[in-house]
Amino acid sequence: GKHTDALPLFERAITIERNTLGTDHPILAQGLRGYADLLRTLGRGADAARADVEASQVEQRFKARQAAG
Protein backbone atom coordinates (compact mmCIF):
# COMPACT_ATOMS: atom_id res chain seq x y z
CA GLY A 1 0.00 0.00 0.00
CA LYS A 2 0.88 3.66 0.09
CA HIS A 3 2.37 3.45 3.57
CA THR A 4 4.74 0.72 2.45
CA ASP A 5 5.64 2.75 -0.63
CA ALA A 6 6.49 5.73 1.59
CA LEU A 7 8.98 3.79 3.71
CA PRO A 8 11.98 3.96 1.34
CA LEU A 9 11.23 7.63 0.66
CA PHE A 10 11.38 8.44 4.38
CA GLU A 11 14.60 6.44 4.71
CA ARG A 12 16.17 8.32 1.79
CA ALA A 13 15.06 11.69 3.17
CA ILE A 14 16.53 10.89 6.59
CA THR A 15 19.82 9.85 5.00
CA ILE A 16 19.95 13.10 3.02
CA GLU A 17 19.11 15.15 6.13
CA ARG A 18 21.80 13.39 8.15
CA ASN A 19 24.41 13.91 5.43
CA THR A 20 23.58 17.53 4.63
CA LEU A 21 22.37 18.99 7.94
CA GLY A 22 24.29 16.89 10.44
CA THR A 23 23.19 14.75 13.35
CA ASP A 24 22.05 17.59 15.59
CA HIS A 25 19.62 19.43 13.34
CA PRO A 26 15.93 19.79 14.30
CA ILE A 27 14.79 18.96 10.77
CA LEU A 28 16.43 15.55 11.14
CA ALA A 29 14.56 15.04 14.41
CA GLN A 30 11.30 15.99 12.70
CA GLY A 31 11.98 13.52 9.89
CA LEU A 32 12.74 10.78 12.38
CA ARG A 33 9.47 11.47 14.24
CA GLY A 34 7.52 11.17 10.98
CA TYR A 35 9.41 7.97 10.16
CA ALA A 36 8.52 6.60 13.60
CA ASP A 37 4.85 7.41 13.00
CA LEU A 38 4.95 5.60 9.68
CA LEU A 39 6.64 2.57 11.24
CA ARG A 40 3.95 2.45 13.94
CA THR A 41 1.27 2.57 11.23
CA LEU A 42 2.96 -0.41 9.60
CA GLY A 43 2.95 -2.33 12.89
CA ARG A 44 6.69 -2.00 13.44
CA GLY A 45 6.58 -0.71 17.00
CA ALA A 46 10.12 -1.69 17.99
CA ASP A 47 11.58 0.07 14.94
CA ALA A 48 9.39 3.09 15.67
CA ALA A 49 10.69 3.23 19.24
CA ARG A 50 14.28 3.22 17.96
CA ALA A 51 13.51 6.10 15.59
CA ASP A 52 11.89 8.02 18.45
CA VAL A 53 14.97 7.48 20.63
CA GLU A 54 17.22 8.71 17.83
CA ALA A 55 14.97 11.77 17.36
CA SER A 56 15.26 12.54 21.08
CA GLN A 57 19.03 12.22 20.90
CA VAL A 58 19.14 14.61 17.93
CA GLU A 59 17.01 17.11 19.87
CA GLN A 60 19.28 16.82 22.93
CA ARG A 61 22.39 17.43 20.81
CA PHE A 62 20.73 20.45 19.20
CA LYS A 63 19.78 21.91 22.59
CA ALA A 64 23.29 21.33 23.93
CA ARG A 65 24.80 23.03 20.90
CA GLN A 66 22.42 26.00 21.30
CA ALA A 67 23.25 26.29 25.01
CA ALA A 68 26.97 26.22 24.24
CA GLY A 69 26.47 29.20 21.98
Side-chain angles (χ1 to χ4, degrees):
K2 291 185 180 189
H3 289 112
T4 304
D5 292 344
L7 198 58
L9 301 175
F10 262 96
E11 291 166 349
R12 179 163 163 70
I14 288 168
T15 297
I16 292 168
E17 290 165 356
R18 234 186 236 118
N19 291 339
T20 58
L21 302 173
T23 60
D24 62 353
H25 200 283
I27 291 176
L28 174 59
Q30 182 180 6
L32 287 163
R33 296 279 184 209
Y35 182 56
D37 289 342
L38 176 60
L39 290 168
R40 267 189 288 284
T41 299
L42 294 171
R44 293 176 53 185
D47 292 329
R50 282 191 287 277
D52 277 329
V53 167
E54 186 178 353
S56 293
Q57 292 169 341
V58 169
E59 291 164 350
Q60 289 171 357
R61 284 191 297 268
F62 175 72
K63 289 176 186 173
R65 186 172 54 109
Q66 293 298 102

